[in-house]
Amino acid sequence: MTKPVMPADFKRVFEEMPGGAAVLNELTRRFGRAVYVTGGNEGDRETCYRAGQRSVLDFILREINLADGVDDDLDDETPPHDD
């Protein structure tokens, strides 16, 4: 049985290990570009392709943020409630 990967693992790999920050910078450079592409069906396909690539980068960054105590997940549709 393998240990579940936790946000702290992402922080350790990408921020604390030698070369981790450089790898994260390269991933950001390659896959952090604008997602939307104009151009009909071909533009739609490229937009979907880029969105898929971007989602991986967004996941990594979200995990690092969680390890740092930052929870800025805008996908969470559960509204805050008053007790």
Side-chain angles (χ1 to χ4, degrees):
M1 183 174 198
T2 60
K3 171 187 167 279
V5 179
M6 304 301 291
D9 298 319
F10 286 87
K11 178 181 174 70
R12 185 173 36 263
V13 168
F14 290 108
E15 291 187 345
E16 298 170 2
M17 293 184 77
V23 170
L24 185 58
N25 286 338
E26 179 64 12
L27 291 171
T28 301
R29 185 186 69 75
R30 286 180 177 260
F31 306 117
R33 62 186 173 190
V35 173
Y36 181 72
V37 177
T38 60
N41 288 338
E42 288 303 313
D44 287 344
R45 287 186 188 106
E46 182 65 20
T47 296
C48 289
Y49 180 75
R50 288 184 182 189
Q53 291 179 323
R54 179 64 185 251
S55 69
V56 175
L57 178 62
D58 290 344
F59 174 79
I60 292 169
L61 295 173
R62 186 171 45 251
E63 292 298 300
I64 292 169
N65 283 340
L66 286 172
D68 288 334
V70 177
D71 186 5
D72 62 354
D73 188 1
L74 299 176
D75 294 334
D76 185 7
E77 296 184 19
T78 306
H81 62 282
D82 296 322
D83 288 79

